[in-house]
Amino acid sequence: MINGLKVLALVFLQICLLRRAPQDIPASSLLLAMTLLLHFLFTVLAAMLDPNPQQVMLIAVIECLCLLAFVYVVLLLRSRTNRWQQTVTALVGTGIIIKLIFFPVLMLLPGGGGLHETPTSVMWAVWLLSLWGLLVLAHIFRHALSVPFILGAAVAIAYCAVNVTAISQALNWTAT
């Protein structure tokens, strides 16, 4: 069991390094459920670092729902819904790896002080990790949709825009 988890973590890491693809992950409902649960927990943990953590659960739920729905719709548009389980598992598993690396950097951000108080080196780290995350999304979407990397990047950017918009709309709705 432990060896299997190590192998799986290594596959997710290799996808993060753009050396493997979503089709290298076994199609498994149990694996999808486990990675979704872990991703949800890491999202809650990351959101708790926010200076205003009241809506942590809402953010985590919206992020997960956006991911599931967006991937299904995009794959449906390309008639590739049979790839949904492996694509979501790859996105969620690599998201966990990236969040684990992001946590120490997020801890360096000032708690509510604003960006003008954040050291330049920390901002560069946030920017580079965000860019890396976007490249990983593009890599996964490229393989899942069987399209060139540039189209995978466009889909990744669209996903990020949908996710940020959905979260901000929900937070605005709950604030009123």
Side-chain angles (χ1 to χ4, degrees):
M1 176 77 173
I2 302 257
N3 276 344
L5 291 175
K6 283 182 185 177
V7 168
L8 193 58
L10 184 61
V11 171
F12 287 138
L13 181 60
Q14 289 173 333
I15 293 172
C16 286
L17 297 173
L18 313 183
R19 294 182 183 156
R20 303 279 295 263
Q23 59 266 29
D24 296 325
I25 296 171
S28 162
S29 299
L30 178 62
L31 178 59
L32 175 61
M34 286 174 34
T35 54
L36 271 172
L37 178 63
L38 272 175
H39 186 264
F40 181 80
L41 294 173
F42 278 112
T43 301
V44 168
L45 236 123
M48 291 177 95
L49 295 174
D50 189 274
N52 190 5
Q54 291 87 342
Q55 297 104 351
V56 168
M57 294 302 279
L58 179 64
I59 291 169
V61 168
I62 290 171
E63 185 176 311
C64 285
L65 291 176
C66 270
L67 175 74
L68 298 173
F70 185 88
V71 171
Y72 185 80
V73 168
V74 170
L75 290 173
L76 182 66
L77 292 173
R78 292 276 299 161
S79 300
R80 304 254 193 296
T81 53
N82 60 319
R83 299 179 180 183
W84 183 83
Q85 194 173 48
Q86 286 173 296
T87 303
V88 171
T89 304
L91 290 167
V92 171
T94 56
I96 291 167
I97 300 286
I98 291 170
K99 283 179 181 174
L100 281 172
I101 295 167
F102 231 119
F103 275 138
V105 175
L106 290 176
M107 303 282 262
L108 296 173
L109 292 174
L115 292 180
H116 62 281
E117 295 178 15
T118 304
T120 304
S121 57
V122 174
M123 290 309 298
W124 272 105
V126 167
W127 186 82
L128 289 172
L129 286 170
S130 298
L131 180 62
W132 177 43
L134 193 61
L135 289 172
V136 172
L137 289 173
H139 174 71
I140 292 169
F141 281 124
R142 164 183 68 160
H143 284 282
L145 299 168
S146 299
V147 296
F149 187 83
I150 191 74
L151 289 178
V155 172
I157 291 168
Y159 165 69
C160 291
V162 166
N163 197 28
V164 167
T165 302
I167 289 170
S168 64
Q169 289 297 315
L171 292 179
N172 286 339
W173 179 74
T174 60
T176 56

